[in-house]
Amino acid sequence: MKASDLFIKCLEEEGVTRIFGVPGEENADFMLSLKQSKIEFVLCRHEQAAAFMADAYGRLTGKAGVCLSTLGPGVTNLMTGLADANMDYAPVVAIIGQGSTRRLHKESHQIMDSIGMVQPISKWAQTILSPKNITEVIRKAFKIAEAEKPGVTVIELPEDIAKEEINDKPIKPTLIRRPAADYRAIDEALELIFSSKNPIILAGNGTVRKRASNRLRILAKNLGIGVINTFMGKGAVSKEDEHCLFTIGLGSGDFNNLAIDESDLVIAIGYDLVEYSPSAWNRIEKGKKKIIHIDYTPAEIDKDYLPNVEIIADLAGALFQLNKELISKVSEKNLPLFNIKGRKKLRDAMIDDLEMNNYDESFPMKPQRVLSDVRKFMEDDDIVLSDVGAHKMWVAREYNCTIPNTCLISNGFCTMGFALPGSIGAKMAFPEKKILSINGDAGFLMNVQDLETAVRYKINIVAVVWLDGEYGLIKWKQQVHFDGEHSELRFKNPNFEFLAKSLNMWGKQIKSANEFLPALTEAFEQDGPAIIGIPIDYEENMRLTERLGKVSAII
């Protein structure tokens, strides 16, 4: 068979059902081989959007999302989405084209060192230099991408290699069992917990993967202590659970920041330092607050994050072991170890604060009212994706979840333009769920071209666009740091109803707060995508800052 045919058979063996991308002439043999496969090719309008679709698809399913580009400018366009997936630990395999190996050694049209360029933003990247390597390279790419912590791998297929003849068979994937925790680390962690007076759990990105949230909920109940989640750990513990102390990461004076200040032990579970710098929460008597690190990999070296104990193992397995050993040492009748009722006053105060302005009818709409309406409208297992901007801070703080992976926020690489294409990937992963993206007007227009992709495939995603005509988060940060001053950040927006009409899709720009919920209902009744534009009162940004103190979240 042709090498490109074998390549496709290997993808089928890996369970790939769709590929997002923009092909070029160097992918021609690959694309014609793909036509004979059951794998769906989703033709996108920009390579960056294709990478974001694969990013969200991989993050939600745990199986590597796959994206494709041609060589040169196709790869450079793909890079922002790949960097985002890699830093947010989403499994993605990128397939990139390349010119003939007979011209890689010299100055030649569109030829560049693509592998060298993507190496810093991937776990592994490799050129296929012989058809005999195809089966091994593809199996390795998927194995590495999906292994904890997951991330991006890149396969480069030169056009002349794709044409060669080969007689080979795909390598079958095998199940890998991750290692259990060291029993001494479990014992040391329990000793720290037993000797603490006011412990707290910090639940990060890892807790929404691989059954870990179920084990976390059991541990929180057995210990009887509060759980604070990062932006990317939403839903690890249900917002309805009395142990839930909601999302940390915005104001340094926010309730949960202060709760960590008062604690003497932080149990960091599945926490990635890239999510929220430890310098922002480990602020009081540095070195005296004890830390237990539980994760798939050892802790990053950071002077503000020096764990006393590290439990390195499969996260769900480590939490199972910790719970089991806790019960054996204390016995179930003596659990919970602490009294969670002591957190009720704090939790009630947080709920009261989060519900502020939920019913405010002023217009432009207050951020809190928009998110309250979205939360009322979306079912527990529906999915919201937040883009990056001032709205992200409000989504992070105000939109809370009962189920993991029902609110996706890019907070590692933290790039604008993620949410709209990401919602297409999410809808293709879970077609039965309502998928809604919340975008700023700046980030939305960075990947607006892929609305046409959603129209063409009749994908009912809804994009809610917050309108202020500024780079709002940059303005907010500048105002905080420079006594209310900021640089020129304003721009003009299109008429979003006209924009929708030009693409033969539904769109509306609302004119009162009471129009929003009916607009959501109508938007989700469409055969394809829908846009809802909402003028937003971002004066609330500085009002929140005045209440909570300095905004400490990373842009």
Side-chain angles (χ1 to χ4, degrees), residues 142-163:
F142 278 85
K143 184 176 183 178
I144 292 174
E146 293 172 357
E148 289 294 344
K149 294 181 179 182
V152 170
T153 58
V154 182
I155 305 170
E156 184 178 68
L157 180 62
E159 59 183 337
D160 58 327
I161 301 296
K163 297 177 187 298

Side-chain angles (χ1 to χ4, degrees), residues 71-323:
L71 80 174
V75 181
T76 57
N77 280 350
L78 202 65
M79 283 188 67
T80 297
L82 297 185
D84 187 79
N86 202 54
M87 203 169 277
D88 282 354
Y89 298 107
V92 169
V93 173
I95 302 164
I96 60 175
Q98 184 55 283
S100 167
T101 57
R102 293 187 293 275
R103 63 188 182 99
L104 298 184
H105 65 287
K106 61 185 178 180
E107 181 178 315
S108 186
H109 182 64
Q110 289 191 318
I111 294 294
M112 65 175 189
D113 182 7
S114 298
I115 292 296
M117 188 171 63
V118 300
Q119 277 177 334
I121 58 164
S122 61
K123 291 179 74 178
W124 184 71
Q126 179 64 47
T127 303
I128 294 176
L129 294 173
S130 166
K132 294 178 181 178
N133 302 146
I134 286 174
T135 59
E136 290 180 348
V137 169
I138 293 177
R139 178 77 281 269
K140 184 172 180 178
F142 278 85
K143 184 176 183 178
I144 292 174
E146 293 172 357
E148 289 294 344
K149 294 181 179 182
V152 170
T153 58
V154 182
I155 305 170
E156 184 178 68
L157 180 62
E159 59 183 337
D160 58 327
I161 301 296
K163 297 177 187 298
E164 292 189 24
E165 294 293 315
I166 181 69
N167 182 16
D168 206 346
K169 291 181 180 180
I171 298 172
K172 290 186 178 295
T174 53
L175 182 66
I176 299 170
R177 298 290 182 187
R178 288 188 290 276
D182 183 89
Y183 72 92
R184 288 164 296 191
I186 295 287
D187 284 344
E188 288 172 18
L190 285 175
E191 285 176 19
L192 273 181
I193 292 168
F194 294 150
S195 63
S196 65
K197 293 182 171 57
N198 189 21
I200 201 162
I201 291 172
L202 177 61
N205 187 13
T207 60
V208 298
R209 297 198 298 267
K210 310 286 186 189
R211 312 173 316 282
S213 63
N214 291 335
R215 300 295 179 189
L216 169 62
R217 294 178 186 208
I218 294 168
L219 180 66
K221 185 177 179 181
N222 284 342
L223 293 178
I225 63 177
V227 179
I228 296 169
N229 60 259
T230 62
F231 286 19
M232 297 176 72
K234 281 182 175 291
V237 171
S238 169
K239 66 184 178 69
E240 307 297 341
D241 191 316
E242 62 181 345
H243 301 85
C244 179
L245 299 179
F246 307 107
T247 305
I248 196 169
L250 187 54
S252 59
D254 210 343
F255 295 95
N256 32 38
N257 283 76
L258 299 177
I260 287 191
D261 287 348
E262 294 168 359
S263 69
D264 60 348
L265 172 65
V266 175
I267 308 171
I269 305 176
Y271 161 67
D272 304 321
L273 273 65
V274 74
E275 298 183 73
Y276 186 50
S277 172
S279 64
W281 56 261
N282 190 12
R283 308 175 299 182
I284 308 299
E285 296 183 306
K286 291 185 188 296
K288 293 189 177 179
K289 191 186 301 296
K290 306 295 184 184
I291 297 173
I292 297 172
H293 171 88
I294 309 176
D295 205 3
Y296 302 97
T297 56
E300 173 65 270
I301 300 300
D302 186 298
K303 64 182 179 181
D304 296 308
Y305 189 76
L306 300 172
N308 302 82
V309 178
E310 297 190 41
I311 300 176
I312 311 304
D314 171 74
L315 203 52
L319 294 174
F320 173 80
Q321 287 176 260
L322 196 59
N323 277 309

Side-chain angles (χ1 to χ4, degrees), residues 403-415:
I403 298 173
N405 270 331
T406 53
C407 180
L408 299 193
I409 298 176
S410 169
N411 208 45
F413 198 58
C414 203
T415 180

